[in-house]
Amino acid sequence: MSLIDALGNPQRLRIIQHLSDGSMYVTELADAVGMNGKSAVHHLSVLENAGIVDHFWDGNRKYYRLVRTVELDVSPPPERRFILQRGAERMTEPVDGE
């Protein structure tokens, strides 16, 4: 799946928006974006396969976090520029239990 495909869903964009504030566990994230857990896990799996998020366990909770920056640059005419780019891996500090 391409980066555009992964980001071409409004629900996945909302997930990314919430994860930009920090790691969240699945149920917390599902509630925040207004979807059931099964749908959230599906969208998180797509984002993980695209290399945008990863997960870690803390006890019995599965947390997700952003691991790459995603930049979108769109310019109106006359430039008509559209650039969607996945940036470098984000430096994250280890979490207890990883």
Side-chain angles (χ1 to χ4, degrees), residues 75-82:
S75 298
E79 293 88 11
R80 294 181 185 249
R81 185 176 60 207
F82 178 84

Side-chain angles (χ1 to χ4, degrees), residues 12-73:
R12 287 194 280 270
L13 292 176
R14 285 198 309 271
I15 288 172
I16 291 170
Q17 180 183 14
H18 283 282
L19 289 177
S20 69
D21 293 330
S23 301
M24 297 176 77
Y25 63 93
V26 176
T27 304
E28 177 183 36
L29 189 54
D31 289 344
V33 297
M35 65 177 69
N36 65 43
K38 186 175 180 178
S39 294
V41 168
H42 165 74
H43 291 297
L44 287 162
S45 176
V46 169
L47 293 170
E48 191 166 26
N49 289 337
I52 298 168
V53 304
D54 74 355
H55 71 272
F56 62 92
W57 290 91
D58 186 8
N60 63 351
R61 289 187 175 170
K62 188 174 186 178
Y63 283 81
Y64 283 86
R65 63 181 165 206
L66 291 176
V67 292
R68 298 215 179 247
T69 59
V70 177
E71 296 179 33
L72 176 61
D73 180 12

